[in-house]
Amino acid sequence: MTNLSVSATSLPRRRVLRVAVAAAAVVCTVVACSPVSNSGDGDQSGGNQSAGQDSFGTPADPAAVKQGGKLVIALSAEPDALDPTLSRSLYSRYVFQAMCQKLYDVNEQAQVVPQLATALPTTSSDGRTVTIPLRPGVRFADGTPFDSAAVKATLQRHLTNARSARKSELGPIDGVDTPDAQTVVLRLKQPFAPLLGALADRAGMIMSAKALQSLGDDFASAPVCVGPFKFAKRVPQNSIEVVKDPNYYEANAVHLDTITWRILSDASIRAANLRSGDAQVADSVSTQDVASLRQDASVAVLQSQSLGYQGLTINIGNVDGVGTAPKPINRPLAQNAKVRQAFEHSIDRKALVDAVFNGEHAVACSPISPASSFSSPEAQTCPAHDPAKAKQLLAEAGVQTPYTVTMLASNTPDTLRLAQALQSMLKDGGFDLKINPVEYSSLLDEQDRGNFELLQLGWSGRIDPDANITNFVGTRASQNVSGYSNPQLDTLLTQARQAGDIEERKKLYGQAVTLLQQDDALIYLYRQRNLTAVSKQIQGLQVFPDGVIRAAFAGFAK
C-alpha cells in the first residue's frame, strides 16, 4: 500500500511548489494525480497586477469579514444541469463548488488534496484496489448521513446512468465495496492512473442517496449534496441561488448568507454591473475590458493560465448522438483528413490571440498544457500557418474552392469576434466560413445531438491530461461529440491510463498528439487566461488554474 501526505506549512512558496510536484509524482505512480508546474510565484494579494502575472486570491481573514450578506456573481453563461452525473459545463462547476463537495479537491498549485476524504487513497501493489477513508460526522443538506453507502450510490449512478458524462472518467471500476461507514474500496479491472484526478472533479461529488432515490433523473431540479451552501432556487436563463447550509460540518467558516449567480452573457454588461455594485464578482472578463479593470482601484483582477483550451470540433461521425457508434457523414470535411488539415493550416493562432484577445491568451496546439508535467516537445508541436499548403491539400482532396463550412458558436461578443476573425483568415486558405451563433445552452444540446458541421467550444482543463483528452476523442467517450474514432489512438490512451510512470505517460501522450494532429477532428486554438474581476468589498474569493470561482468561504469586508 502507498499513502502520502505532504505539509507545506511555513515553506517558502517556491519550495512549496517543488515539494508539491515531487509529492504528486510519487502519488501518480499509484493513484494518478497530475502535478502542474507553476509559471511563476504570482501575486497572491488579489490586487491589481500586470498581464501575465498569476493572482489566485487569498483566503478570507475571519476577523476582517462580516457575518452575513448576499454575494452576486455575474456569470457569462447559464450552467447546464446541476447534476454531477450529467453536467458538462464549467459554469455548473462554479455552483457545485459552493454546494457539492468532492472526495478530493485541487489547490492553487494544482495539487490534489482531501476534501470529503480524510487522506489520499491507498492503492494495492497491483494497482487494482483503491481504498478511500471518509470524513466522519458529515451530513448532506437534507440531514441524511454522508457515508460509504452514499459514495457507492453516487459512483454506481455515474457508471450506469445512460446519459452519464462521468462513465469514461471513472474508467475500469469493477465494483465498489463498503467495509464500514467511513471506508470505500474501489475494485478496478486494471490500474487506472487518472482516477484521483477524476475524484477531484465532478466524478467525486457525492449526492444524497435519499435525494437520488426520490428524484431519480430529475435530481437537478433540487440537488442535494454536502457543502457550505444548499440549493434554494433556479430561474432558467436568469439566475441560481444557494443559501448557507447549517448542516455543513464547518458552518462556522461560512460567512455569507446567500450566493446568487446572475446570467449576463455580455462581458461589458458584467463589467458594468460590477462597477455599479449590482454584482460583486464578474467571471470571464473580456480582454477588451481587463486593462481598464486592472486600473480600477475598487476592483481586483484574479488571473491564471488555464489548464484547458479553446478549439474547433469537427463532426466526423456523430449522427445518432454523443456516445453512439460513429457513422459516415457525407461531407468532405468529415470524410477527408486532408480537408481538415487544410482548415488548420489556414489558421494563424498567434494573429488570432493578438488581434482578438489583445495578447492576453496563449497559443495552444494540443490538449496538454505546457505547464503540465506530462508535456513534451511532441505534445507542443504546432502545425504551421500556411494558406498555400491549405489550398494544395484541398486540391489533392478534390474539393472546389471556396469550400463552405458552417460553424456553430455561442453568441457572446468575444466568441463572435473570434468567429469573425476566423472567417476572414480562412478565406486565404480556400474556405468560406459561415457563422451560426446560438445561446450557450443550445450549443451544448446541438453538439450532443450531432446537429453541427463545425463548432467552437473549449474545455476548462483538468490536472491529469487524460481528462483533457480521452473523454473527447476516445471512441464513444461520453463527451466525444465529434464522433471521432481511431483505434490506434484508443490504444495509446489506454496504455497511458494504465502506466504508472510519468515519463512513460509523457511519451504516450506525445504520440497521441501526433495522431490527433494528423486526423484533426479537434483543432486546438488557444489557452485562455482565467480572468475574474472582484470588488474589493469582498475578501476570500479565489480562482485557481482549474478556472473554478471559489466563493463559498468569501465574505464582505468589515
Side-chain angles (χ1 to χ4, degrees):
M1 294 289 205
T2 302
N3 203 342
L4 183 66
S5 177
V6 175
S7 173
T9 305
S10 301
L11 290 175
R13 191 165 189 269
R14 286 190 185 273
R15 173 62 176 155
V16 168
L17 292 173
R18 288 196 295 270
V19 170
V21 171
V26 176
V27 178
C28 280
T29 64
V30 287
V31 290
C33 66
S34 262
V36 174
S37 305
N38 196 306
S39 59
D41 281 359
D43 174 274
Q44 298 304 300
S45 66
N48 294 331
Q49 66 289 310
S50 62
Q53 186 181 29
D54 283 351
S55 177
F56 303 131
T58 54
D61 176 0
V65 295
K66 302 173 184 176
Q67 294 304 306
K70 299 180 179 181
L71 180 69
V72 176
I73 300 175
L75 193 58
S76 55
E78 182 169 22
D80 61 352
L82 294 180
D83 181 331
T85 301
L86 307 179
S87 167
R88 298 183 182 189
S89 83
L90 168 65
Y91 309 102
S92 62
R93 293 171 71 214
Y94 293 172
V95 181
F96 286 143
Q97 193 279 331
M99 58 173 277
C100 284
Q101 288 196 331
K102 302 163 287 187
L103 293 172
Y104 298 95
D105 198 8
V106 175
N107 64 18
E108 68 180 55
Q109 296 150 8
Q111 181 184 13
V112 175
V113 293
Q115 193 170 65
L116 290 176
T118 58
L120 295 176
T122 54
T123 303
S124 61
S125 58
D126 66 359
R128 295 175 58 186
T129 303
V130 178
T131 303
I132 301 171
L134 304 179
R135 186 186 287 268
V138 174
R139 288 185 293 164
F140 289 100
D142 60 7
T144 58
F146 163 80
D147 56 17
S148 59
V151 175
K152 181 176 181 177
T154 288
L155 294 180
Q156 287 182 327
R157 183 174 187 259
H158 288 338
L159 290 165
T160 60
N161 186 287
R163 296 188 294 138
S164 175
R166 309 282 83 82
K167 184 175 181 179
S168 56
E169 294 175 4
L170 290 170
I173 292 181
D174 197 32
V176 182
D177 297 331
T178 55
D180 59 58
Q182 264 66 61
T183 308
V184 173
V185 179
L186 307 181
R187 290 181 282 107
L188 310 181
K189 295 176 184 177
Q190 59 262 343
F192 184 57
L195 180 60
L196 184 59
L199 295 178
D201 193 39
R202 280 172 285 210
M205 294 176 184
I206 309 304
M207 297 169 276
S208 161
K210 178 182 177 181
L212 286 175
Q213 186 173 12
S214 62
L215 295 172
D217 286 343
D218 201 29
F219 179 85
S221 66
V224 180
C225 302
V226 174
F229 292 81
K230 61 182 179 179
F231 179 79
K233 64 180 179 180
R234 179 172 191 165
V235 180
Q237 300 182 1
N238 182 279
S239 63
I240 297 172
E241 182 179 311
V242 296
V243 298
K244 182 175 178 178
D245 182 9
N247 286 320
Y248 181 58
Y249 57 90
E250 290 182 346
N252 60 348
V254 182
H255 310 293
L256 297 166
D257 291 327
T258 69
I259 302 175
T260 300
W261 291 267
R262 190 174 296 157
I263 316 304
L264 298 170
S265 60
D266 190 311
S268 63
I269 295 176
R270 292 196 300 278
N273 272 250
L274 179 69
R275 290 186 172 107
S276 69
D278 290 335
Q280 292 77 47
V281 184
D283 98 299
S284 302
V285 172
S286 171
T287 54
Q288 308 297 309
D289 300 323
V290 69
S292 62
L293 287 170
R294 286 184 180 126
Q295 299 305 314
D296 190 327
S298 67
V299 172
V301 177
L302 306 184
Q303 56 186 34
S304 60
Q305 190 64 54
S306 170
L307 300 174
Y309 58 82
Q310 290 290 321
L312 302 171
T313 298
I314 297 166
N315 190 350
I316 290 177
N318 182 0
V319 174
D320 297 326
V322 62
T324 60
K327 292 182 178 180
I329 295 177
N330 188 25
R331 287 192 294 260
L333 188 67
Q335 293 177 328
N336 196 327
K338 285 187 176 182
V339 179
R340 300 190 294 274
Q341 292 166 8
F343 198 91
E344 180 167 22
H345 281 299
S346 302
I347 299 170
D348 186 339
R349 293 171 170 86
K350 181 67 165 58
L352 277 180
V353 167
D354 289 345
V356 180
F357 303 113
N358 298 327
E360 289 281 346
H361 301 326
V363 166
C365 303
S366 93
I368 300 177
S369 166
S372 170
S373 292
F374 295 96
S375 183
S376 65
E378 293 77 15
Q380 300 308 322
T381 298
C382 203
H385 172 230
D386 191 341
K389 185 172 183 178
K391 289 181 177 178
Q392 177 188 335
L393 287 167
L394 288 176
E396 291 174 4
V399 173
Q400 290 188 338
T401 59
Y403 176 61
T404 300
V405 178
T406 300
M407 183 175 75
L408 198 65
S410 66
N411 61 355
T412 64
D414 278 0
T415 300
L416 292 178
R417 275 195 296 273
L418 171 65
Q420 289 160 2
L422 280 169
Q423 187 179 53
S424 175
M425 189 174 286
L426 285 161
K427 289 179 181 178
D428 290 340
F431 291 90
D432 178 18
L433 183 68
K434 306 296 184 183
I435 303 166
N436 180 15
V438 297
E439 293 287 341
Y440 177 74
S441 57
S442 298
L443 187 149
L444 295 180
D445 290 340
E446 293 299 288
Q447 69 160 6
D448 287 356
R449 295 188 185 105
N451 293 337
F452 69 96
E453 180 179 10
L454 171 75
L455 71 86
Q456 195 287 308
L457 199 60
W459 176 245
S460 55
R462 304 294 184 271
I463 58 172
D464 193 290
D466 178 81
N468 302 328
I469 306 175
T470 306
N471 223 19
F472 301 91
V473 295
T475 299
R476 299 188 69 172
S478 57
Q479 297 197 62
N480 183 350
V481 298
S482 172
Y484 170 56
S485 178
N486 183 329
Q488 187 180 355
L489 177 68
D490 292 339
T491 297
L492 288 172
L493 295 177
T494 298
Q495 290 173 346
R497 283 181 152 195
Q498 296 176 11
D501 179 69
I502 288 180
E503 290 303 315
E504 177 64 16
R505 292 187 76 196
K506 182 188 296 187
K507 181 180 74 172
L508 291 165
Y509 287 129
Q511 295 171 9
V513 169
T514 299
L515 286 180
L516 288 171
Q517 291 179 347
Q518 290 172 3
D519 292 343
D520 267 343
L522 205 165
I523 298 172
Y524 305 92
L525 294 179
Y526 64 93
R527 214 171 302 283
Q528 66 191 65
R529 290 191 68 75
N530 301 314
L531 297 170
T532 306
V534 186
S535 166
K536 289 188 176 177
Q537 295 177 349
I538 301 300
Q539 291 193 11
L541 189 133
Q542 296 180 281
V543 182
F544 298 161
D546 64 0
V548 176
I549 294 177
R550 288 163 163 80
F553 300 105
F556 284 85
K558 288 182 178 177

